[in-house]
């Protein structure tokens, strides 16, 4: 089939299109309406239908005569030197045990469960168990520290937190429990229970009456039978926090039915999934890729999925390729930063493995530069498929749907609009749609297709105000990315329109980092900008004004505050001290000008600057 026809059908007759796609998953009760868009921009998909993500990911494959004995989850840790493989049947047992444990701790349908875990199998069990009983999980990336965690606890108000003694990086344990205790102390919403997996990596103190040990509790629920709770398609499945323009992270809330259909659909058309094969996404469950393409997507497609804890270069830079060879991975998903890291390693590590099982490598999360893309394509000899999307959308907006047609990729472009997405580029100044090769803001006309965010958790108004605008009667969702389209419909992403930066594929809000830095007692003001970096795409760089310059505050002292509060993932690469920051006369920080100077570019229009000498200071600091 021609992709253009497939796409056209999804746009011209979305209800018929998605009705057909919905047949890719199991429904307990059929839906009565494909789409309810009576209250734009809120879209409700598959109204009245009842289904369950855990059923579609696990139970469905365990039927007699099915593939219950085949691998479902393969958890590999090069940090603890362990490999554990669970068949669909075994996963079914584990998930029911976790569901029973959660129920015994008082978790009910609709309750939130916050999961703050390293990349171990138990994290996936916990997610699937929530989905099974209709609890709403909120996974927080293990690299985040106390303050980031506290703001998420405050917003999600979990009844239960699932965590572990520690993660591990490069063989060194990273204790989670002290950070968790600090976060709970900081937050005003206190979970009544904390369930802890003790990996034996770091000592833990327990809070009497609140903290529960997984080992002891699981013994009481070994062969538990917990039936699936059938959920109306539009009930929430999870909340995943993401950074935006303000310091307060947004809880991206997703539904059940639409998400299951979007994943089943994208696994088929984008990732060419085949039940029984193996999928390997190198992301983390703390990010959206981990939700969609480590846990739910591959399992919904009946594939084995690999969860990997460790670095791409330890014990040696061949580790990922050894995994591909051993488990006959057919589809792999990673990020450009990881490929850039691997490119710096001796090529023998990749070449000594038999990678003949691999059919394609998918890359997402940040712009894919041509050098990286061409290098990895040559090394692997398989198609490299860039895909552009966001936490908010849950699955690709732009890419190439190889499962429909073998459309060629184009260097530097993530591809064309994916089915279901009415993508447009808008000229901000005129409010008109851009012509070919004209730069504009990448927007999507509502309704968003199935699988995209339903709302901001607990704050419908913030969802509307943040993302949507009414342009001549059309409700348009903003991605906050600049883009341009060529004459053939291929898009090119040109960076964010807001103050979000992208470090190694991780999305960080500069406001969040600024708020953390100003909590240092000797910092009065700070500006954080994203600066281009050869490996990580971007890094954060801070310019801070000290209250007392003679007090001996060092760059490391400021970095330590960020490490402690937000986690090392948000630590600026450099902190420079200045006595003035470039601002407009109305007091708005000129972050774009600072960024331009850091990247050796022209700082742009400075007619509104209050004091031009402030820019001089930035230049001087960088010398
Ligand atoms: P996140 O929500 O953390 O996945 O971040 C989404 C943002 O990452 C997007 O809005 C883009 O700015 C950027 N991004 C994601 N994928 C790509 C890609 N393939 N090419 C360029 N930028 C991307």
């Amino acid at each position: 089939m021609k992709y253009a026809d497939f796409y056209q059908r999804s746009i011209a007759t979305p209800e018929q299109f998605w009705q057909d796609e919905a047949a890719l998953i199991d429904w307990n009760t059929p839906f009565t309406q494909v789409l309810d868009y009576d209250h734009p921009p809120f879209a409700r998909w598959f109204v009245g239908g009842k289904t369950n993500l855990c059923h579609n990911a696990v139970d469905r494959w365990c039927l007699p005569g099915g593939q219950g004995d085949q691998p479902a989850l393969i958890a590999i840790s090069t940090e603890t030197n362990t490999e554990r493989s669970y068949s669909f049947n075994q996963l079914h047992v584990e998930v029911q045990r976790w569901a029973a444990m959660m129920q015994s701790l008082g978790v009910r349908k609709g309750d939130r469960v916050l999961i703050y875990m390293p990349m171990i199998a138990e994290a996936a069990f916990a997610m699937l168990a929530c989905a099974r009983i209709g609890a709403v999980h909120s996974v927080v990336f293990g690299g985040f520290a106390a303050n980031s965690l506290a703001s998420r606890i405050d917003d999600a108000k979990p009844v239960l937190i699932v965590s572990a003694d520690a993660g591990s990086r490069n063989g060194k344990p990273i204790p989670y429990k002290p950070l968790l205790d600090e976060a709970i102390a900081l937050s005003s919403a206190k979970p009544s229970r904390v369930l802890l997996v003790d990996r034996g990596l770091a000592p833990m103190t327990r809070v009497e009456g609140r903290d529960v040990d997984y080992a002891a509790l699981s013994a009481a629920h070994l062969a538990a039978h917990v039936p699936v709770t059938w959920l109306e398609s539009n009930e929430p499945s999870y909340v995943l926090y993401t950074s935006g323009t303000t310091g307060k992270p947004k809880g991206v809330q997703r539904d059940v039915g639409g998400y299951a259909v979007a994943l089943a659909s994208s696994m088929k058309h984008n990732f060419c999934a085949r039940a029984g094969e193996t999928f390997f996404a190198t992301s983390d469950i703390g990010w959206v890729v981990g939700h969609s393409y480590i846990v739910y997507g591959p399992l919904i497609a009946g594939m084995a999925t690999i969860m990997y804890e460790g670095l791409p270069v330890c014990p040696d830079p061949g580790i990922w390729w050894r995994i591909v060879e051993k488990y006959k991975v057919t589809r792999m998903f990673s990020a450009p930063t990881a490929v850039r890291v691997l490119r710096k390693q001796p090529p023998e590590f990749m070449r000594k493995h038999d990678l003949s099982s691999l059919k394609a490598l998918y890359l997402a999360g940040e712009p894919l530069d041509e050098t990286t893309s061409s290098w990895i394509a040559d090394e692997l000899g398989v198609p490299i498929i860039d895909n552009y999307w966001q936490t908010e959308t849950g699955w690709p907006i732009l890419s190439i749907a190889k499962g429909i047609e073998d459309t060629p990729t184009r260097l530097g472009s993530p591809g064309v609009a994916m089915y279901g997405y009415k993508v447009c580029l808008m000229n901000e100044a005129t409010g008109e749609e851009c012509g070919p090769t004209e730069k504009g803001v990448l927007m999507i006309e509502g309704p968003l297709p199935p699988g995209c965010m339903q709302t901001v958790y607990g704050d419908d108004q913030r969802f509307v105000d943040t993302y949507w605008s009414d342009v001549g009667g059309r409700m348009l969702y903003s991605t906050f990315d600049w883009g341009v389209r060529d004459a053939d419909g291929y898009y090119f992403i040109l960076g964010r329109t807001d103050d979000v930066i992208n470090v190694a594929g991780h999305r960080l809000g500069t406001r969040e980092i600024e708020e953390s830095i100003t909590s240092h007692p000797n910092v009065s003001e700070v500006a954080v900008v994203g600066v281009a970096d050869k490996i990580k795409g971007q890094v954060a760089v801070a310019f801070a004004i000290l209250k007392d310059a003679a007090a001996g505050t060092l760059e490391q002292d400021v970095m330590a505050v960020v490490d402690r509060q937000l986690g090392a993932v948000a630590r600026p690469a450099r902190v420079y001290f200045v006595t003035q920051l470039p601002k407009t006369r109305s007091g708005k920080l000129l972050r774009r000008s600072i960024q331009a100077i850091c990247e050796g570019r022209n700082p742009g229009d400075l007619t509104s600057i209050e004091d031009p000498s402030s820019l001089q200071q930035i230049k001087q600091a960088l010398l």
Side-chain angles (χ1 to χ4, degrees):
M1 190 197 294
K2 285 261 170 255
Y3 177 73
D5 298 337
F6 185 74
Y7 176 76
Q8 213 35 55
R9 193 172 154 256
S10 78
I11 299 301
T13 52
E15 302 194 26
Q16 276 169 29
F17 179 89
W18 288 111
Q19 168 135 19
D20 293 348
E21 295 297 305
L24 291 170
I25 67 157
D26 274 1
W27 294 88
N28 170 263
T29 308
F31 44 88
T32 50
Q33 194 184 354
V34 179
L35 168 66
D36 165 12
Y37 196 49
D38 285 352
H39 303 284
F42 299 93
R44 300 173 70 237
W45 287 97
F46 312 115
V47 182
K50 287 195 172 174
T51 186
N52 183 288
L53 279 164
C54 182
H55 167 86
N56 278 288
V58 185
D59 300 47
R60 183 184 188 198
W61 306 110
C62 298
L63 295 175
Q67 56 178 76
D69 290 336
Q70 290 187 24
L73 181 71
I74 301 160
I76 302 170
S77 172
T78 50
E79 296 289 335
T80 57
N81 275 322
T82 48
E83 283 193 29
R84 294 186 290 169
S85 178
Y86 300 84
S87 66
F88 281 95
N89 285 336
Q90 288 166 330
L91 185 57
H92 194 218
V93 170
E94 295 289 346
V95 167
Q96 293 191 77
R97 179 180 310 153
W98 273 80
M101 286 193 297
M102 288 183 182
Q103 286 177 333
S104 79
L105 295 173
V107 178
R108 300 285 172 262
K109 181 181 157 188
D111 287 345
R112 273 81 51 222
V113 173
L114 190 140
I115 299 174
Y116 181 58
M117 290 279 260
M119 284 289 285
I120 55 177
E122 286 78 4
F125 302 158
M127 290 168 75
L128 290 161
C130 287
R132 185 170 196 85
I133 60 175
V136 177
H137 62 66
S138 184
V139 183
V140 177
F141 175 56
F144 282 137
N147 286 50
S148 305
L149 188 51
S151 63
R152 287 153 175 82
I153 294 174
D154 268 338
D155 196 74
K157 300 185 181 53
V159 297
L160 170 71
I161 295 184
V162 180
S163 192
D165 57 339
S168 178
R169 194 177 161 81
N170 213 359
K172 250 184 50 203
I174 303 182
Y176 279 23
K177 185 64 179 9
L179 295 179
L180 177 60
D181 285 339
E182 193 185 335
I184 296 176
L186 283 171
S187 63
S188 44
K190 310 281 183 211
S192 45
R193 292 308 186 101
V194 174
L195 180 58
L196 294 160
V197 176
D198 189 353
R199 308 175 72 193
L201 294 180
M204 282 195 280
T205 51
R206 271 82 164 171
V207 175
E208 206 37 58
R210 187 196 73 186
D211 295 356
V212 187
D213 261 294
Y214 157 73
L217 188 62
S218 71
H221 298 280
L222 280 185
H225 175 66
V226 178
V228 156
T229 301
W230 298 109
L231 301 165
E232 199 277 335
S233 176
N234 292 278
E235 293 191 69
S237 58
Y238 70 73
V239 175
L240 179 59
Y241 287 88
T242 188
S243 302
T245 310
T246 67
K248 188 176 184 285
K250 286 186 291 277
V252 168
Q253 180 184 315
R254 235 182 274 295
D255 69 357
V256 176
Y259 189 47
V261 171
L263 291 183
S265 190
S266 58
M267 284 304 298
K268 181 173 176 198
H269 308 311
N270 292 64
F271 299 100
C272 311
R274 289 228 201 131
E277 292 186 350
T278 308
F279 198 85
F280 178 20
T282 67
S283 182
D284 188 285
I285 47 152
W287 309 115
V288 70
V289 176
H291 286 62
S292 294
Y293 299 113
I294 294 177
V295 179
Y296 292 113
L299 294 175
I300 285 175
M303 293 181 83
T305 185
I306 290 175
M307 254 181 111
Y308 174 70
E309 179 187 49
L311 299 175
V313 290
C314 286
D316 63 58
I319 178 61
W320 283 358
W321 314 113
R322 201 176 317 151
I323 291 173
V324 170
E325 179 176 15
K326 180 168 176 187
Y327 292 100
K328 301 200 169 32
V329 170
T330 54
R331 308 273 156 184
M332 185 167 168
F333 191 136
S334 193
T337 292
V339 178
R340 286 192 288 264
V341 167
L342 292 174
R343 186 165 163 246
K344 294 226 170 300
Q345 313 299 325
E348 311 76 90
F349 286 107
M350 183 179 287
R351 293 180 190 157
K352 71 178 180 201
H353 293 285
D354 173 7
L355 305 179
S356 55
S357 61
L358 195 65
K359 301 280 191 313
L361 173 68
Y362 298 81
L363 296 173
E366 55 182 314
L368 174 61
D369 57 283
E370 301 188 9
T371 318
T372 306
S373 173
S374 305
W375 174 77
I376 191 73
D378 288 347
E379 283 296 324
L380 293 177
V382 298
I384 306 303
I385 302 172
D386 191 354
N387 52 117
Y388 159 89
W389 48 295
Q390 315 181 295
T391 305
E392 287 85 345
T393 66
W395 62 285
I397 306 169
L398 304 174
S399 191
I400 296 294
K402 287 272 186 199
I404 301 292
E405 187 190 4
D406 197 10
T407 324
T409 54
R410 203 159 277 191
L411 275 181
S413 161
V416 299
M418 285 298 93
Y419 45 96
Y421 289 102
K422 256 197 225 182
V423 178
C424 53
L425 283 172
M426 303 300 287
N427 180 317
E428 260 199 324
T430 63
E432 303 281 323
E433 211 151 325
C434 299
T437 72
E438 189 191 337
K439 174 179 166 180
V441 183
L442 195 95
M443 301 186 97
I444 305 163
E445 185 169 345
L448 294 176
C452 294
M453 76 188 289
Q454 293 182 292
T455 187
V456 170
Y457 177 69
D459 199 345
D460 285 349
Q461 198 55 46
R462 190 168 176 206
F463 173 60
V464 177
D465 295 346
T466 307
Y467 295 103
W468 294 89
S469 41
D470 184 336
V471 181
R474 292 162 79 197
M475 283 301 277
L476 299 183
Y477 164 91
S478 179
T479 61
F480 296 101
D481 281 303
W482 295 110
V484 58
R485 182 180 48 225
D486 69 13
D488 301 320
Y490 285 78
Y491 287 81
F492 295 79
I493 301 297
L494 308 170
R496 297 279 303 192
T497 65
D498 59 5
D499 293 326
V500 164
I501 62 173
N502 194 319
V503 179
H506 298 163
R507 174 163 157 186
L508 299 168
T510 50
R511 278 300 308 150
E512 249 175 299
I513 305 174
E514 286 171 358
E515 280 176 20
S516 173
I517 292 178
T518 42
S519 74
H520 185 288
N522 195 30
V523 171
S524 65
E525 244 187 293
V526 66
V528 172
V529 296
V531 177
D533 179 85
K534 280 206 178 67
I535 296 283
K536 296 181 172 180
Q538 277 189 311
V539 290
V541 172
F543 295 87
I545 302 178
L546 294 176
K547 288 178 188 157
D548 176 3
T553 303
L554 301 173
E555 180 173 16
Q556 296 90 294
D557 302 335
V558 175
M559 290 181 178
V561 173
V562 180
D563 276 11
R564 204 169 56 242
Q565 296 192 349
L566 305 180
V569 62
R571 180 199 306 152
R574 291 301 312 265
V575 180
Y576 298 103
F577 298 118
V578 291
T579 59
Q580 214 186 2
L581 288 169
K583 287 185 185 166
T584 62
R585 277 184 283 275
S586 58
K588 200 170 172 301
L589 257 177
L590 287 164
R591 287 202 191 77
R592 303 255 162 252
S593 305
I594 303 175
Q595 182 190 42
I597 292 174
C598 291
E599 293 181 349
R601 291 182 286 113
N602 187 319
D605 176 16
L606 293 171
T607 42
S608 63
I609 195 165
E610 190 181 40
D611 181 352
S613 72
S614 54
L615 282 180
Q616 215 39 50
Q617 280 209 25
I618 302 280
K619 282 186 193 154
Q620 221 112 50
L622 292 167
L623 287 179

